[in-house]
């Protein structure tokens, strides 16, 4: 990690920074009492009935200021700072040194280097349910033409290369095999803004705000399945945790750091909605400083990764 920390992020050039590719944005219910410990006290957590809205953003960039790379952003929840609410990321994993360095120093993100590997397995299609049929009718779901059409199951494995962090997550995506009519099923084209807060890290202690302007075609699909592979201390065998309830309780026993424990908890929390962004163009503006680092801030956010 020393090479990453000492590397300049000047390869990004001047903002705004433009990224092109595809992404999944999955929203989860996260317990407010858990998320609050990782939010700076300057911000008020947006919550209802004991929960906030967290989740993750999994992107594959085909073109960026530093070329091709993958990214997983784990979102602790939504925080309020007048006049708007924004997402707060508790972990960011990338497989590009320059992207990691830039995220840390320029954008104030808790970035970590990780390995991303993808495997694709073909399956026979199962009949679509009523929910999928409804989404298809309103133009944002995947239209399945026949139960006999094949499916691809793509599994993205993310493993942090930091020896101090035991992140080993699998994200499974089931999607139809692309056909000549695939372009018709990508959903409507939209423009949206995803404002976020960042900072309060050892690399950038100031509190920052930045905006991501996204143009893409969007679909609402079945949530991705998240599981964790870990090595048992007894026999060294890998176990796959796919049940959300079991996973949440076991995560706390198998992670050394509280920050990583919480990030994995978010990944295993209850999913609400999954949005697939295709033909995506994301423009990221330069962050603005909301408040300078202070002694009280350092004390407050000492638990923020």
């Amino acid at each position: 990690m020393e090479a990453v920390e000492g590397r300049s992020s000047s390869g990004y050039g001047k903002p705004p920074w433009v990224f092109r590719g595809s992404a999944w944005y999955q929203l989860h219910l996260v317990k407010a009492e858990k998320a609050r410990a990782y939010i700076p006290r300057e911000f008020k957590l947006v919550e209802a009935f004991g929960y906030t809205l967290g989740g993750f953003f999994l992107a594959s960039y085909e073109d960026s200021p530093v070329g091709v790379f993958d990214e997983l952003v784990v979102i602790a929840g939504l925080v309020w700072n007048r006049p708007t609410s924004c997402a707060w990321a508790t972990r960011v994993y990338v497989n590009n040194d320059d992207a990691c360095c830039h995220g840390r120093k320029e954008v104030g993100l808790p970035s970590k280097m990780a390995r991303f590997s993808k495997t694709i397995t073909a399956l026979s299609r199962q009949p679509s349910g009523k929910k999928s049929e409804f989404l298809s009718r309103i133009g944002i779901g995947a239209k399945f033409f026949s139960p006999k059409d094949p499916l691809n199951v793509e599994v993205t494995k993310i493993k942090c290369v930091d020896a101090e962090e035991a992140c080993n997550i699998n994200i499974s995506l089931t999607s139809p095999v692309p056909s000549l009519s695939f372009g018709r099923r990508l959903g409507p084209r939209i423009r949206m803004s995803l404002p976020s807060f960042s900072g309060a890290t050892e690399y950038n202690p100031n509190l920052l705000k930045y905006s991501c302007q996204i143009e893409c075609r969007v679909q609402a699909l079945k949530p991705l399945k998240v599981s964790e592979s870990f090595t048992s201390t007894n026999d060294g065998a890998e176990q796959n945790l796919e049940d959300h309830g079991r996973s949440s309780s076991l995560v706390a026993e198998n992670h050394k750091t509280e920050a990583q424990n919480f990030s994995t908890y978010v990944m295993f929390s209850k999913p609400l909605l999954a949005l697939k962004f295709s033909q995506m163009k994301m423009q990221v503006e330069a962050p603005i400083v909301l408040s300078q680092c202070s002694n009280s801030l350092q004390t407050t956010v000492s638990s923020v990764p």
Side-chain angles (χ1 to χ4, degrees):
M1 298 303 294
E2 292 180 0
V4 174
E5 295 170 6
R7 187 182 299 239
S8 170
S9 60
S10 59
Y12 268 71
K14 295 182 179 181
W17 303 293
V18 177
F19 303 79
R20 300 178 188 271
S22 60
W24 282 84
Y25 188 32
Q26 185 154 305
L27 303 176
H28 287 223
L29 282 178
V30 178
K31 289 185 178 180
E33 62 179 354
K34 291 182 177 291
R36 198 175 292 113
Y38 298 90
I39 304 297
R41 69 180 181 185
E42 282 79 1
F43 298 137
K44 180 180 179 182
L45 188 68
V46 178
E47 59 181 290
F49 306 105
Y51 290 88
T52 187
L53 201 58
F56 62 88
F57 182 82
L58 176 64
S60 180
Y61 302 117
E62 301 168 356
D63 182 47
S64 80
V66 291
V68 177
F69 75 96
D70 299 293
E71 179 180 50
L72 172 66
V73 181
V74 183
I75 301 169
L78 295 180
V79 295
W80 174 256
N81 183 264
R82 293 183 179 182
T84 186
S85 61
C86 299
W88 182 269
T90 186
R91 270 291 188 272
V92 176
Y93 298 104
V94 294
N95 56 356
N96 181 286
D97 286 350
D98 290 325
C100 184
C101 181
H102 179 265
R104 287 174 174 178
K105 295 182 178 180
E106 304 298 332
V107 192
L109 293 172
S111 299
K112 298 278 187 180
M113 284 293 295
R115 296 188 183 93
F116 287 67
S117 61
K118 299 177 183 179
T119 59
I120 298 178
T121 304
L123 296 178
S124 59
R125 185 187 298 281
Q126 298 296 323
S128 59
K130 294 183 178 179
K131 184 177 180 180
S132 297
E133 293 174 359
F134 172 75
L135 292 174
S136 296
R137 289 173 186 172
I138 63 177
I140 61 174
K143 296 180 180 178
F144 297 156
F145 297 122
S146 169
K148 296 182 180 180
D149 290 341
L151 286 173
N152 279 341
V153 176
E154 179 178 313
V155 178
T156 300
K157 296 184 178 181
I158 303 162
K159 182 176 179 60
C160 186
V161 299
D162 189 338
E164 298 179 356
E165 186 160 326
C167 170
N168 198 352
I169 293 173
N170 300 336
I171 300 177
S172 301
L173 157 66
T174 301
S175 62
V177 175
S179 63
L180 294 177
S181 60
F182 185 67
R184 302 176 186 175
R185 297 182 276 137
L186 294 178
R189 185 171 295 279
I190 66 167
R191 294 183 179 181
M192 62 186 298
S193 177
L194 295 177
S196 299
F197 292 126
S198 61
T201 70
E202 61 178 307
Y203 301 99
N204 196 327
N206 299 322
L207 284 180
L208 310 173
K209 179 182 178 181
Y210 65 98
S211 177
C212 298
Q213 305 296 329
I214 295 179
E215 297 180 22
C216 66
R217 299 186 70 169
V218 63
Q219 291 173 283
L221 298 177
K222 184 179 180 180
L224 306 182
K225 292 183 179 181
V226 181
S227 61
E228 182 187 20
S229 296
F230 67 94
T231 302
S232 170
T233 55
N234 294 327
D235 55 15
E238 283 194 346
Q239 301 181 36
N240 196 35
L241 310 178
E242 295 187 350
D243 179 79
H244 290 290
R246 288 193 305 117
S247 298
S248 296
S249 61
L250 287 173
V251 160
E253 301 174 7
N254 292 281
H255 285 279
K256 296 180 180 179
T257 66
E258 293 183 0
Q260 175 56 36
N261 175 46
F262 173 71
S263 297
T264 310
Y265 160 77
V266 171
M267 297 291 294
F268 286 115
S269 58
K270 183 177 178 58
L272 289 180
L273 176 67
L275 298 176
K276 182 180 180 181
F277 298 161
S278 303
Q279 301 176 3
M280 180 183 69
K281 175 186 176 183
M282 182 173 70
Q283 180 171 297
V284 180
E285 303 292 338
I288 60 173
V289 178
L290 297 178
S291 67
Q292 297 288 337
C293 170
S294 65
N295 291 334
S296 61
L297 175 61
Q298 289 178 336
T299 301
T300 302
V301 299
S302 59
S303 62
V304 177

